[in-house]
Amino acid sequence: MKEASINDIIIVGSGVAGQSAAIYAARADLNPVVLTGDEPGGQLSLTTDVENYLGFPEGVGGHELVQRGREQAEKFGASFQQASVVNADFSEQPFTLSLSNGEVLSTRSVVLATGASARTLGIPGENELMGYGLSTCATCDGAFHRGNDVVVVGGGDAAMEEALFLTKFADSVTVVHRRDELRASEILAKRAIEHEEISFRWNTELSEIRGSPEDSVTSVRLLSHPDGQPTAKRDAGEDVEIESLDVQGVFYGIGHNPNTGFLQETGVQRTEQNFVITDETTTATTVDGVFAAGDVADDRYQQAITAAGTGASAALDAEAFLDAIEESPRNEVPV
Ligand code: NAP
């Protein structure tokens, strides 16, 4: 009877980390299979201009960058499969990955490069209006807001980028931030603060989004407190200012949570915030043969260029692991 084929390496996720791992693994003749996940190309595919990726002095479109990355990986022999992992068994070699399309794949090594997904606030109106005026992606939905007044929530680079992008379409953009200081890099913060169509509501949070799927978003309820973090202040019984603001669009730019749900029963340890824990000097996780790269294991830098770097490291680490299995006397995982 023919044995089911065992892959050398499967890369879970197809953002820059996964693509970079695929290029290195393919060039090492490991015939990598890349599982694209629900967001092929990852977060960059939803980004406009990338200005800080090495080698592009004029900047490069996020979508173009990931398209070229995939082409480069395929050129060296990586194959891309549109599927997500729903269940992983890393308890023995070979590992098995059960996919969203029903397929089960066997592999000797895995690179986790599943990235992170947009955070939400969990406030009233959010579930009902997501996709109906509420969005986590200005690049995707900004063009629906020509002539509108919109709100962007957050004080980091993503929120500033969203706000700047939205000025192309909206009449007014109001950034709502829970403190009176931005977390964003100086260059983006300065651009947003100096932009005529962007105004800031400091020490303010959204407590409700109003509207309906038929009418889309119509207004938001704002809480403010002079010392910031108004929701926490309200919950602690302090007085907060409450106000309603008429807007037709709301964009969240409040960061991302790592996509690690399928790792629950696998022995791959994660931080309290669910980021995969890797070895201090390599991309090795707490399971031999499983490596992690990019935002899924990075609660600090979260840059395209660092994700690409750790992707390359993960492929090199996996290659060394596979060589060690090959050389071990019983062809088993060394302990
Ligand atoms: P981030 O830096 O973690 O910023 C998230 C922002 O959302 C913070 O200002 C935070 O407020 C706010 N926030 C978080 N949870 C909130 C809540 N429940 N309610 C209200 N506000 C909330 O996330 P990011 O902007 O997505 O950036 C992530 C990483 O990607 C960063 O390293 C960033 O530099 C990078 N990035 C770079 C670029 C670029 O260079 N072009 C673009 C996008 C992202 P606090 O400040 O009070 O915590």
Side-chain angles (χ1 to χ4, degrees), residues 11-22 34-36 39-45 66 69-70 80 113-115 307-308:
I11 297 163
V12 191
S14 58
V16 277
Q19 290 183 349
S20 178
V34 182
L35 304 174
T36 63
E39 215 174 76
Q43 285 178 56
L44 269 197
S45 62
V66 292
R70 175 166 173 164
F80 285 66
T114 45

Side-chain angles (χ1 to χ4, degrees), residues 20-41:
S20 178
I23 291 165
Y24 273 72
R27 284 172 58 82
D29 272 346
L30 297 176
N31 302 313
V33 173
V34 182
L35 304 174
T36 63
D38 298 332
E39 215 174 76

